[in-house]
Amino acid sequence: MTNDFQLSWEMRDNGWATCRIRAGSAEREDCVSYCTDALSDLLCGTSGLFGPLTVERFSFDLEPAEARWVLRSRGTEVDASIYYFADMSESFDIPDENGALVWHATQQRAVLAHSVLEAAQSVLSLHGEDGYLAKWIRHPFPVAALQDLRRLHLQHDACELHHDAATP
């Protein structure tokens, strides 16, 4: 496990975003399509780590590929894995293990949640809700999902880092 964890979300051309994740030397970058509400899925999947389920899954559409995130809660730690499938239209119901494991790390839930919050807040601060919708087209900025994750993170993780709550 490493404390050197970073996650970023960068809006690109209309309907595309770049998601980068790094823990130590394990790095992954995906160009994510607007065909799914990917940033909302990331926020909601991370929020799910605070609930009773021990596994959270969500997928990013890479057109045509799928990047499937699997987050396994182990107390205050999270085993995070990303599986790659060549064709999302064929892989949605296929078991995780049938995909190629392209990234894995174990991280403290507090660090993961804080990084996801910072990435989403950065997008909102840079683009605003209107600018996000203009770029992402199909889905509005996930304000409620951001607020929910922030509330859960602050309530359960005792995080002492700065939290930008000035905007939703």
Side-chain angles (χ1 to χ4, degrees), residues 104-118:
H104 178 266
T106 300
Q107 192 55 250
Q108 290 293 317
R109 182 186 65 199
V111 173
L112 174 67
H114 190 87
S115 296
V116 171
L117 276 171
E118 279 189 334

Side-chain angles (χ1 to χ4, degrees), residues 1-3 5 46 49-50 74-80 105-115 153 157:
M1 182 175 60
T2 177
N3 289 330
F5 182 85
T46 305
L49 296 171
F50 295 91
R74 304 206 189 285
T76 60
E77 291 185 345
V78 176
D79 286 334
T106 300
Q107 192 55 250
Q108 290 293 317
R109 182 186 65 199
V111 173
L112 174 67
H114 190 87
S115 296
H153 172 60
D157 285 335

Side-chain angles (χ1 to χ4, degrees), residues 102-151:
V102 294
W103 188 87
H104 178 266
T106 300
Q107 192 55 250
Q108 290 293 317
R109 182 186 65 199
V111 173
L112 174 67
H114 190 87
S115 296
V116 171
L117 276 171
E118 279 189 334
Q121 186 65 53
S122 175
V123 169
L124 181 59
S125 297
L126 182 62
H127 299 284
E129 289 182 61
D130 292 339
Y132 179 87
L133 184 58
K135 284 191 166 287
W136 202 238
I137 303 166
R138 287 188 176 178
H139 307 280
F141 185 85
V143 172
L146 175 63
Q147 291 171 333
D148 193 40
L149 179 57
R150 181 182 293 116
R151 178 185 57 78

Side-chain angles (χ1 to χ4, degrees), residues 32-156:
V32 180
S33 164
Y34 73 138
C35 289
T36 61
D37 197 358
L39 185 55
S40 178
D41 293 341
L42 175 62
L43 288 162
C44 291
T46 305
S47 291
L49 296 171
F50 295 91
L53 300 178
T54 58
V55 178
E56 291 291 326
R57 283 182 178 77
F58 53 91
S59 294
F60 295 159
D61 190 342
L62 310 180
E63 288 192 38
E66 172 189 1
R68 183 181 305 166
W69 288 51
V70 180
L71 306 177
R72 286 185 171 80
S73 238
R74 304 206 189 285
T76 60
E77 291 185 345
V78 176
D79 286 334
S81 301
I82 301 174
Y83 295 90
Y84 178 86
F85 297 87
D87 188 344
M88 189 168 194
S89 68
E90 296 176 2
S91 64
F92 203 69
D93 290 325
I94 293 176
D96 304 331
E97 299 75 28
N98 288 16
L101 179 63
V102 294
W103 188 87
H104 178 266
T106 300
Q107 192 55 250
Q108 290 293 317
R109 182 186 65 199
V111 173
L112 174 67
H114 190 87
S115 296
V116 171
L117 276 171
E118 279 189 334
Q121 186 65 53
S122 175
V123 169
L124 181 59
S125 297
L126 182 62
H127 299 284
E129 289 182 61
D130 292 339
Y132 179 87
L133 184 58
K135 284 191 166 287
W136 202 238
I137 303 166
R138 287 188 176 178
H139 307 280
F141 185 85
V143 172
L146 175 63
Q147 291 171 333
D148 193 40
L149 179 57
R150 181 182 293 116
R151 178 185 57 78
L152 291 166
H153 172 60
L154 291 172
Q155 180 180 358
H156 296 285

